[in-house]
Amino acid sequence: MSDGVLRSPQVRALVRLVNEAHELPRQQDARSRHLLSGMCRILGADTGTCVLEHDFRPDGRGGFTPIALEGWGGSARSALEGMQELGSASNPAIRWLMDHPAVPGGIITAMRQELVDDNVWYCAPYVEQYLRPTDLDDLVLSCRWSELPGVVQGICLHRGRGGRPFDAADRELLHLFHAECGPLLGLAPRAAAIRDVRLAPRERQTLELLLRGLGDKEIAAELGISRFTVNQYTKAIYRRFGVRSRTALIAGMLGGGRG
């Protein structure tokens, strides 16, 4: 979904932003926040999210781990919490992308109007009950598919209701940003991190379900085993990867440190 023409002032601002990020201390979260905040400023977005999606597939619910958030304080927080509760698939624009996956490494960037029409958008329960009460509305999305099944790098920017909708030039700048700055955002899931670790077949199945965002009860039901057994598999997986929590495990998939 391209054919947009980049605006020279926005491109120059993006170059400055990336140069600034390179000069920051090497803490990943500081760079991620700086880059996301800068893109919100350049594109005039009221909120921004940078996430790792780990159940991003046609039959998925959508579960995400935030990497960086911008502008989600105050009344807007309820919309973010609603998305976390209902899953990313509750957003019809995100649902469209889940149903139309790209090849590993592929990036799709699109305006909301390119994905779903107004009737679908404004009648969606998530939009009606969570998003509109915060006065947030228009959005532009960018998703980058990894080698890991269902794992996607996602960036979403919102503007307030009544503001200028995102246009093709905005979309193209976000696409360029995502293509060039993914490593700086800390969004680089590593399939090799799974392939290179020796796991029993059931442990590998459990790991895949963990990365899809399923809890112990859901994993037990999916595999037809007890929650106690799931817990034992999970502990074994943590030992294999040298971590102590699911958050640290996901950070390892992102190329971050262990802990």
Side-chain angles (χ1 to χ4, degrees), residues 131-181:
L131 197 62
R132 295 199 72 182
T134 68
D135 284 331
L136 294 173
D137 188 2
D138 195 43
L139 63 80
V140 60
L141 290 164
S142 186
C143 290
R144 183 175 193 159
W145 276 257
S146 79
E147 299 175 43
L148 301 176
V151 178
V152 165
Q153 311 161 0
I155 301 172
C156 179
L157 306 181
H158 277 280
R159 282 179 180 159
R161 187 168 48 189
R164 178 180 70 83
F166 290 105
D167 60 22
D170 298 325
R171 178 197 63 207
E172 291 304 293
L173 192 76
L174 180 60
H175 186 87
L176 176 63
F177 170 76
H178 201 178
E180 297 297 326
C181 298

Side-chain angles (χ1 to χ4, degrees), residues 17 20-21 24 29-39:
L17 175 66
E20 291 167 1
L24 290 173
D29 55 349
R31 282 184 172 179
S32 299
R33 289 195 303 269
H34 183 78
L35 286 166
L36 184 63
S37 174
M39 276 306 291

Side-chain angles (χ1 to χ4, degrees), residues 45-130:
D46 293 298
T47 67
T49 55
C50 180
V51 302
L52 174 70
E53 291 271 2
H54 35 77
D55 189 22
F56 209 83
R57 61 189 84 226
D59 60 346
R61 176 179 179 270
F64 61 89
T65 300
I67 303 300
L69 301 172
E70 178 68 21
W72 288 101
S75 62
R77 186 170 185 83
S78 61
L80 179 64
E81 291 173 345
M83 177 77 71
Q84 291 173 316
E85 178 183 348
L86 299 175
S88 305
S90 62
N91 182 312
I94 297 176
R95 174 80 265 174
W96 190 97
L97 290 172
M98 294 172 72
D99 290 338
H100 299 81
V103 298
I107 301 175
I108 296 179
T109 308
M111 299 173 286
R112 190 276 295 172
Q113 297 90 335
E114 296 175 303
L115 302 177
V116 293
D117 62 28
D118 286 353
N119 287 335
V120 172
W121 178 250
Y122 291 113
C123 291
Y126 169 73
V127 175
E128 186 176 8
Q129 298 171 22
Y130 290 91

Side-chain angles (χ1 to χ4, degrees), residues 225-245:
I225 57 180
S226 70
R227 293 180 65 178
F228 174 80
T229 303
V230 171
N231 184 259
Q232 296 305 302
Y233 287 154
T234 301
K235 289 179 179 178
I237 290 166
Y238 290 169
R239 287 195 298 272
R240 297 285 197 282
F241 284 91
V243 299
R244 294 188 293 272
S245 69

